[in-house]
């Protein structure tokens, strides 16, 4: 007779007890994942707008360095950037916790993408809006804050939301530097109990339950903004 286990020591049948044991660690992982996602999104949206405005600077001394930096970040893997920030910067006496490093890396990486989204939104503002602001003798700052940016941001909200979902799906990469997000929590739990199926399945379902409703909300928001 067999004992119902395979060669790795895990059972062939689904074990709800293993799921129950994993749930406290699961919720801790969810909290860390959502914290990284929220702060990373805030960094990417804010910094992306800074890059987008820098692209329109009147001097090349601003445009060119920003262009080189964003191209470099956008064309290197996020995992490489994570390792660089976590393992190389401490050699220069710049060190952050794993969670802070992961948040900064995701925010910086995706800011180079949101910058292009902002640029497209700004370029889509009708020329007549610029001319009207000039005719009203609005200051440069007032033109941007009261006329251009409100219209541009409204156009790009759905695209920015898509990058939030992309950031969510990239948070498992943070396990590479030891951040205790969902994937890392499941791996640690499974390493102790050898119940890999249960832990990893719960994490996979969790990502679907977070990402899919978010995508539906973004579609609804996009339809509303179009109207």
């Amino acid at each position: 007779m067999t004992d119902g286990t395979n060669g790795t020591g895990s059972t062939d049948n689904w074990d709800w007890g293993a799921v129950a044991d994993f749930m406290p660690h699961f919720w801790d992982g969810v909290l860390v994942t959502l914290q990284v996602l929220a702060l990373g999104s805030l960094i990417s949206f804010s910094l992306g707008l800074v890059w987008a405005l820098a692209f329109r600077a009147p001097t090349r001394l601003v445009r060119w360095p920003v262009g080189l930096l964003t191209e470099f970040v956008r064309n290197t893997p996020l995992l490489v950037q994570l390792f660089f920030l976590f393992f190389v910067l401490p050699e220069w006496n710049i060190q952050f916790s794993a969670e802070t490093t992961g948040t900064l890396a995701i925010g910086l990486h995706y800011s180079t993408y949101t910058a292009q989204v902002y640029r497209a939104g700004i370029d889509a503002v009708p020329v007549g809006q610029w001319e009207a602001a000039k005719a009203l003798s609005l200051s440069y700052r007032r033109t941007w804050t009261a006329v251009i940016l409100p219209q541009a941001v409204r156009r790009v909200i759905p695209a920015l939301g898509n990058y939030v979902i992309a950031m969510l799906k990239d948070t498992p990469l943070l396990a590479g530097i030891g951040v205790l997000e969902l994937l890392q929590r499941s791996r640690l739990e499974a390493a102790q109990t050898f119940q890999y199926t249960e832990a990893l399945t719960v994490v996979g379902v969790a990502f679907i339950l977070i990402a899919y409703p978010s995508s539906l909300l973004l579609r609804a928001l996009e339809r509303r903004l179009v109207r």
Side-chain angles (χ1 to χ4, degrees):
M1 294 181 62
T2 61
D3 60 357
T5 61
N6 57 30
T8 63
S10 62
T11 63
D12 295 326
N13 299 321
W14 183 266
D15 188 350
W16 287 106
V19 175
D21 292 338
F22 174 57
M23 291 312 292
H25 306 285
F26 166 80
W27 291 117
D28 290 338
V30 168
L31 179 60
V32 171
T33 297
L34 294 181
Q35 285 177 341
V36 170
L37 179 62
L39 294 176
S41 299
L42 181 61
I43 293 172
S44 68
F45 294 165
S46 303
L47 197 54
L49 182 58
V50 172
W51 301 146
L53 295 178
F55 287 139
R56 302 181 69 91
T59 173
R60 293 180 180 179
L61 294 178
V62 176
R63 295 197 306 270
W64 284 11
V66 170
L68 290 174
L69 173 63
T70 55
E71 285 297 322
F72 175 79
V73 173
R74 189 165 58 246
N75 288 285
T76 53
L78 175 57
L79 187 59
V80 173
Q81 295 167 16
L82 279 169
F83 286 168
F84 179 85
L85 293 177
F86 191 69
F87 295 110
V88 177
L89 286 188
E91 297 182 4
W92 301 339
N93 296 320
I94 303 175
Q95 186 170 4
F96 304 101
S97 67
E99 185 175 335
T100 300
T101 301
T103 302
L104 292 174
I106 285 182
L108 175 61
H109 184 81
Y110 276 94
S111 72
T112 60
Y113 293 95
T114 59
Q116 299 303 321
V117 174
Y118 284 124
R119 288 182 70 182
I122 293 171
D123 290 341
V125 176
V127 176
Q129 298 294 311
W130 296 89
E131 295 174 347
K134 184 177 181 180
L136 293 172
S137 299
L138 296 181
S139 66
Y140 181 81
R141 178 179 179 182
R142 183 68 174 168
T143 298
W144 276 102
T145 58
V147 179
I148 304 304
L149 287 181
Q151 297 182 64
V153 171
R154 182 181 179 184
R155 287 178 166 85
V156 303
I157 286 177
L160 294 178
N162 289 332
Y163 281 117
V164 173
I165 296 176
M167 280 185 270
L168 171 67
K169 293 188 292 185
D170 274 348
T171 54
L173 294 176
L174 274 59
I177 59 172
V179 177
L180 296 177
E181 44 70 61
L182 274 172
L183 179 62
Q184 185 74 338
R185 293 278 183 179
S186 67
R187 292 173 58 189
L188 293 176
E189 178 67 15
Q192 295 179 359
T193 64
F194 297 102
Q195 301 285 353
Y196 287 92
T197 300
E198 288 78 4
L200 293 176
T201 300
V202 169
V203 169
V205 172
F207 275 104
I208 294 174
L209 292 179
I210 296 173
Y212 185 64
S214 299
S215 66
L216 295 179
L217 289 174
L218 287 172
R219 292 176 190 173
L221 177 61
E222 184 173 8
R223 289 193 297 267
R224 181 177 179 85
L225 291 177
V226 168
R227 289 197 300 266

